[in-house]
Amino acid sequence: MASLIGLLIFIIMLALIVGVIVMNAYNGLVTLRNRYKNAYSQIDVQLQRRYDLIPNLVETAKGYMKHERETLEAVIAARNAAMTANSRASRNPGDPQAMQQLEAAEATLTGALGRLMVVSEAYPDLKADQTMTRLMEELTSTENKVAFARQAFNDSVTLYNTKREVFPSNLIATSFNFTAADLLEEAAPEVKVAPRISF
Amino acid sequence: MAMDFFGHQDRARQNTRKLMGLFVASLVLIIVCIYMTAAIALAMTQGAARCEPVPQQVTTPASPTAPTNLVTPGNAVAFKARSRSRSRSGGSRSSSRRNRTSGFNSDNNNGGSSNFRDIDSNFRDTNGNRFFDNSRSFTSRRYRSCPTGTRRVAKAWILNMWDPTLLLTVAAITTSIVGTGSLYKTQQLKAGGAVIATELGGTLIAPEDATPEEQELLNIVEEMAIAAGVPIPQVYLLDQEQGINAFAAGNTPSDAVIGVTRGTLEQLTRDELQGVIGHEFSHILNGDMRLNLRMVGLIHGLVLIYFTGRIVAEFRSRDEKGNAMLFFGFGLIAIGLIGAFCGNLIRSAISRQREFLADAAAVQFTRNPEGIAGALRKIGGYEHGTTLRSPHAEIHSHMLFGDGHTTFLDGWLASHPPLAERIRRIENRADLYLERAEAAGVPSVRPSAEMSPGVMGFAAGGAATATTPKQSNPLTWFRQAAPDFLPIAQSFVPKLTPTLQTALTQPKQATAVVFALLLDSTQAEIHTKQLAWLRHTEAADFVEHILHLETDLATLTGHLRLPLTDLAVPALRQLPTEQQPAFFKTIQALAKADGQWSISEFTVYTLLEHRFSATPVTGEQTAIAPLWNDCLILISALARAGQTGKDAVTEILQHSQ
């Protein structure tokens, strides 16, 4: 009788331990999955913010750079193109072609901005302008944010995938259908060597 | 080579887990210790009851159904009974107390055995029968005599070793005391991040009217929030603080704030600031403030054990049980103190692991080891260090053992690892960089007091008392003031003529550069003298080459001479060993052509000699004595540079020697 009770207690303890392990693994997987999903939405938000900033920047620069119409127009055109590509990409995020177009448009935009910066070096008044300084800082920050959002996405995807594959959470992952997540593609080389924007 | 930030973080987390395990184990150990003390103390109060002279009548194990007036060894009976049931034990104790008061006789005060025996016999007479049932297994044991108190206690203790009821009671009481203490302390310290930041003298930065600098800070915080994947915290600026430091405060990611000193904002570049903020975000993300708070609470609970011990010891009864209570009280005091001390050691160790974790996370978030490493370097070289001047920093500092840290404890109780070690891990370039970091003046800044437990600083954030610089050694300062010249020299390379640039890459040509440097172009007489010597030792076309280089050098300003010498060293080192003496001989000859050493000649010569010496002077110099001669030379050089009168200098030198 006593041994039966002992056995029962043992089984209950075992079940409890297993239950806790399962719960931890499951909760961990859900947390990580939500984290990477949130990270993805951040990328889009920051890209959008960048598009919003650029017209302001160009407006401010216009006042000083009367002779650089072409450069300014190129920036605006690139910005519009990137925006269209972005909206297309965010409609179907899985489409690799749309993503590729977005990458290309972003690269063009970055290039155009870089040219604008180089040209603006010749206008000390512009560099001294407070609004311009502020916008530049905003733009730098937003570009950083885009990069960080991508990086955070990739980091959290890596964490999630690792968690998904290691024991014992891999057992939970397969039985509760946690699918593997894909990393964001490496940015195009033009984007990677984005010109350093600074005054 | 990039830092393996994920690996570093994993290691730090593992170490934290181990230390947490240690902490829990020490809590269990404390309960066990208290239990043992309690058992011994109880045995002391009751020791008499189980110690008695040889029983008058020895009986063999009696049947439980015959509870007659058998005189059994009362010690076992009474003791076993007490341990089996609390109520009975209470009864027995109260009865013994009753006996004590009634049957008081002469030599009671020292707890004499006669007295105890007296109690015991009384006790047995009244309770012996009742307990007999329980004592079957003990009836065969006999205790002849109890010559010493110690032995008596020891015996009782061994008997009393395993007493689940007592253990449970002790565990419950200890847990509740520690729990109450920690709950109280935690509640007391558990101000939201905003409260702590305000108390430390911070003001909230509002995005609407932020200066450009502050706006940059806000942007960086937003960037790092994205990188870390946590909500954007509020940012406080500690406007009066010139030290480089930052902190994260608050218990959950949602109520966390980040505080940054004015010094941080002014001294650090954008990248470095980003590293610092990334570090703080790791504290927020990993819940380090909460962890720290809990541990501080638990340690406070252990301190409460100490206070309980004092109360027990002070309010002990005046009878012979007082000894036992005194013993128990002192036991609690010792356990509480040792426990709190060990708890603090473990907490500090955990804190240091969390700093490593945060550094690695900062690299993960920024993907830029240079940023945070640069910030740490700047702290090392910066006069204000990490000091917080706010008087509230003192209030918020969790004093451990006052200010009296010994050097031994300093490292063990430091909440932050030494700067050099942190830099080394970030840069992942082993010893080379450790040395560099030290040479660049990265002392291990340590606090004499720590920040409030709800706050995770970027670097050890001491209160104002931490300002006293630890470098009383002038040589340490000196080393800090003399950074590596090579990087500076390298920045001059583009200014050099192409001929010079190529000359600096080949050993033989490099010697030509040095010779050209030493040629005196102002005095024609000496110049010819020098050339004559050169023609004597070197080939003719080589001398022509030197002259050519000399004209190139003429375009350079004077202060480039030393950097140029430094630049030539890598090539010069490749000179065959047998040519080196001749090289130095030529230098000496050129320098002495005018009969004396000028300062520039001397520096060039000494520099080269130093660079060529087989055992470069590196490492810690702790005393000035071995460097005495060098110091003399330096002082005399400075004196000479200051004045023209030769006699005065000679006089000074003669005095000093």
Side-chain angles (χ1 to χ4, degrees):
Chain A
M1 190 61 194
S3 68
L4 202 69
I5 291 174
L7 193 70
L8 207 67
I9 290 174
F10 178 73
I11 288 172
I12 290 172
M13 292 289 279
L14 206 68
L16 269 178
I17 292 171
V18 170
V20 167
I21 290 174
V22 167
M23 192 182 78
N24 276 343
Y26 184 82
N27 289 351
L29 280 167
V30 171
T31 313
L32 288 178
R33 189 171 59 185
N34 285 341
R35 198 182 283 174
Y36 90 73
K37 280 186 176 165
N38 175 53
Y40 189 80
S41 66
Q42 278 290 347
I43 303 176
D44 191 43
V45 171
Q46 296 309 328
L47 282 178
Q48 205 62 50
R49 211 179 124 71
R50 191 177 177 213
Y51 303 143
D52 294 346
L53 272 172
I54 288 168
N56 290 335
L57 185 81
V58 171
E59 264 327 295
T60 316
K62 244 183 204 164
Y64 296 92
M65 306 165 81
K66 300 249 188 305
H67 310 293
E68 312 287 350
R69 270 258 303 274
E70 282 163 37
T71 318
L72 292 172
E73 274 166 7
V75 171
I76 288 292
R79 175 252 182 193
N80 290 342
M83 222 168 131
T84 327
N86 182 43
S87 64
R88 201 180 306 137
S90 54
R91 266 200 303 277
N92 17 291
D95 184 3
Q97 205 190 343
M99 288 305 275
Q100 223 163 29
Q101 279 178 0
L102 177 60
E103 297 284 355
E106 279 292 315
T108 319
L109 176 57
T110 311
L113 275 175
R115 268 195 300 286
L116 175 62
M117 293 318 131
V118 172
V119 171
S120 71
E121 287 291 316
Y123 296 83
D125 293 348
L126 178 62
K127 279 167 73 177
D129 186 274
Q130 280 228 333
T131 325
M132 191 63 180
T133 321
R134 184 163 289 223
L135 281 169
M136 286 312 306
E137 165 58 28
E138 288 303 307
L139 197 63
T140 312
S141 179
T142 315
E143 277 171 0
N144 281 348
K145 283 171 191 164
V146 174
F148 285 135
R150 300 176 73 98
Q151 169 197 307
F153 175 78
N154 280 347
D155 281 354
S156 42
V157 162
T158 310
L159 281 179
Y160 167 76
N161 280 342
T162 312
K163 177 93 179 169
R164 216 187 124 263
E165 286 162 27
V166 297
F167 183 83
S169 41
N170 61 344
L171 303 176
I172 316 298
T174 41
S175 44
F176 286 96
N177 199 24
F178 284 89
T179 47
D182 288 328
L183 292 173
L184 272 184
E185 289 294 308
E186 271 281 294
E190 303 90 60
V191 180
K192 276 206 296 194
V193 289
R196 198 183 160 77
I197 295 170
S198 64
F199 273 96
Chain B
M1 194 169 131
M3 179 198 201
D4 173 21
F5 37 81
F6 282 127
H8 275 269
Q9 290 182 58
D10 282 345
R11 218 176 311 152
R13 286 207 181 90
Q14 255 170 30
N15 286 340
T16 311
R17 269 198 293 276
K18 274 182 210 158
L19 288 164
M20 289 296 285
L22 199 62
F23 194 79
V24 171
S26 60
L27 285 181
V28 172
L29 190 71
I30 281 166
I31 290 180
V32 169
C33 284
I34 294 177
Y35 163 71
M36 284 178 156
T37 323
I40 293 174
L42 273 178
M44 278 168 77
T45 56
Q46 311 223 326
R50 65 207 53 88
C51 195
E52 65 166 64
V54 187
Q56 299 94 339
Q57 193 187 335
V58 176
T59 50
T60 44
S63 92
T65 49
T68 45
N69 248 349
L70 283 171
V71 184
T72 55
N75 51 351
V77 177
F79 188 72
K80 192 66 188 170
R82 192 205 52 72
S83 53
R84 272 285 154 83
S85 112
R86 302 289 306 169
S87 65
R88 280 185 201 174
S89 121
S92 75
R93 250 183 286 159
S94 65
S95 76
S96 73
R97 206 176 299 134
R98 223 182 303 128
N99 293 330
R100 272 287 299 107
T101 40
S102 60
F104 222 70
N105 55 21
S106 55
D107 56 336
N108 59 37
N109 258 345
N110 36 28
S113 57
S114 66
N115 189 21
F116 278 111
R117 219 175 293 134
D118 182 35
I119 304 161
D120 191 47
S121 58
N122 271 328
F123 174 66
R124 196 175 59 241
D125 288 345
T126 46
N127 301 307
N129 294 339
R130 232 174 93 215
F131 294 141
F132 187 64
D133 291 359
N134 297 331
S135 62
R136 264 184 302 169
S137 54
F138 290 92
T139 44
S140 58
R141 293 192 192 177
R142 254 163 260 159
Y143 295 89
R144 314 215 117 245
S145 62
C146 288
T148 62
T150 329
R151 196 170 144 198
R152 197 168 63 216
V153 167
K155 271 184 183 167
W157 185 66
I158 289 163
L159 276 175
N160 204 11
M161 199 51 178
W162 179 237
D163 186 346
T165 325
L166 184 63
L167 178 59
L168 279 182
T169 319
V170 165
I173 293 175
T174 311
T175 316
S176 61
I177 286 179
V178 173
T180 318
S182 80
L183 212 65
Y184 169 73
K185 190 77 179 175
T186 313
Q187 285 303 323
Q188 195 188 19
L189 294 171
K190 193 181 162 184
V195 179
I196 295 174
T198 319
E199 275 181 30
L200 284 169
T203 45
L204 184 65
I205 303 180
E208 306 85 60
D209 43 36
T211 64
E213 266 180 349
E214 292 167 356
Q215 187 58 48
E216 189 183 276
L217 173 64
L218 289 179
N219 285 338
I220 289 173
V221 169
E222 281 175 29
E223 288 164 23
M224 285 297 103
I226 290 171
V230 298
I232 298 167
Q234 288 185 317
V235 185
Y236 283 78
L237 181 66
L238 277 62
D239 220 351
Q240 306 301 317
E241 306 287 355
Q242 288 304 312
I244 300 177
N245 215 335
F247 64 84
N251 297 303
T252 57
S254 50
D255 89 332
V257 303
I258 281 185
V260 172
T261 63
R262 169 64 64 184
T264 313
L265 220 52
E266 281 169 0
Q267 302 295 326
L268 300 188
T269 65
R270 198 179 198 285
D271 283 354
E272 287 161 354
L273 190 56
Q274 208 173 47
V276 171
I277 301 293
H279 174 104
E280 297 310 326
F281 267 98
S282 167
H283 287 317
I284 296 177
L285 181 68
N286 292 309
D288 291 351
M289 287 91 77
R290 202 173 39 206
L291 178 73
N292 200 28
L293 195 67
R294 288 216 179 116
M295 299 205 59
V296 168
L298 279 175
I299 289 164
H300 185 76
L302 297 183
V303 176
L304 218 61
I305 292 182
Y306 158 78
F307 281 117
T308 316
R310 277 185 59 169
I311 290 168
V312 168
E314 252 167 58
F315 296 96
R316 65 180 191 276
S317 51
R318 287 269 154 248
D319 52 32
E320 97 283 351
K321 272 177 70 186
N323 287 335
M325 280 180 79
L326 196 65
F327 173 78
F328 185 56
F330 278 133
L332 285 187
I333 288 174
I335 292 169
L337 280 183
I338 294 171
F341 176 68
C342 294
N344 269 322
L345 282 187
I346 298 175
R347 185 175 77 91
S348 303
I350 289 182
S351 174
R352 290 196 295 271
Q353 289 302 325
R354 300 317 270 187
E355 293 306 321
F356 283 135
L357 172 66
D359 284 347
V363 177
Q364 184 207 327
F365 297 153
T366 60
R367 289 294 200 279
N368 179 12
E370 286 308 311
I372 184 158
L376 288 171
R377 272 220 193 80
K378 271 195 185 160
I379 288 174
Y382 185 46
E383 53 171 326
H384 293 289
T386 60
T387 313
L388 294 186
R389 269 176 221 295
S390 153
H392 284 282
E394 190 108 38
I395 295 170
H396 268 280
S397 58
H398 176 69
M399 302 300 284
L400 302 168
F401 291 90
D403 291 321
H405 286 318
T406 65
T407 36
F408 155 69
L409 285 177
D410 230 13
W412 283 29
L413 287 170
S415 65
H416 287 67
L419 287 177
E421 170 65 9
R422 289 170 72 179
I423 295 172
R424 190 183 70 76
R425 290 205 188 188
I426 291 167
E427 301 201 325
N428 206 18
R429 278 180 228 186
D431 305 336
L432 170 75
Y433 265 71
L434 182 62
E435 198 181 72
R436 274 265 171 96
E438 274 170 358
V442 181
S444 41
V445 176
R446 285 196 181 122
S448 69
E450 289 180 23
M451 302 272 280
S452 153
V455 179
M456 296 303 276
F458 170 64
T465 45
T467 34
T468 333
K470 289 199 77 177
Q471 294 87 0
S472 49
N473 190 340
L475 285 168
T476 321
W477 286 112
F478 178 71
R479 265 191 321 175
Q480 285 175 19
D484 218 332
F485 275 117
L486 203 56
I488 304 172
Q490 245 135 24
S491 64
F492 291 124
V493 170
K495 291 186 191 167
L496 301 175
T497 58
T499 338
L500 268 174
Q501 286 186 28
T502 45
L504 287 172
T505 54
Q506 296 151 352
K508 192 67 189 167
Q509 304 258 320
T511 57
V513 174
V514 176
F515 295 153
L517 268 178
L518 290 169
L519 286 180
D520 194 336
S521 46
T522 47
Q523 291 165 291
E525 185 192 335
I526 296 164
H527 196 252
T528 39
K529 228 172 164 184
Q530 287 175 324
L531 279 184
W533 174 270
L534 279 177
R535 293 221 166 80
H536 178 65
T537 52
E538 308 284 346
D541 56 335
F542 188 67
V543 178
E544 286 310 309
H545 187 63
I546 293 172
L547 283 173
H548 180 63
L549 284 175
E550 195 195 356
T551 51
D552 275 6
L553 284 174
T555 59
L556 291 175
T557 42
H559 69 271
L560 286 179
R561 280 170 170 263
L562 275 185
L564 201 63
T565 320
D566 243 341
L567 283 175
V569 166
L572 288 175
R573 278 231 184 92
Q574 295 168 23
L575 268 185
T577 341
E578 65 272 11
Q579 288 184 27
Q580 284 180 14
F583 170 58
F584 275 100
K585 209 175 163 193
T586 313
I587 293 178
Q588 284 188 15
L590 289 179
K592 280 191 209 151
D594 54 353
Q596 61 179 12
W597 286 89
S598 75
I599 286 210
S600 62
E601 289 161 352
F602 172 75
T603 42
V604 167
Y605 179 77
T606 318
L607 184 70
L608 286 173
E609 200 183 42
H610 177 73
R611 294 279 189 253
F612 270 87
S613 65
T615 50
V617 187
T618 51
E620 191 88 6
Q621 293 284 348
T622 48
I624 203 130
L627 301 177
W628 183 241
N629 280 332
D630 293 335
C631 290
L632 268 185
I633 294 171
L634 180 69
I635 292 167
S636 65
L638 288 175
R640 227 177 260 273
Q643 43 187 303
T644 44
K646 204 173 164 186
D647 292 346
V649 176
T650 328
E651 199 178 316
I652 291 169
L653 276 180
Q654 275 162 356
H655 262 289
S656 68
Q657 281 162 353

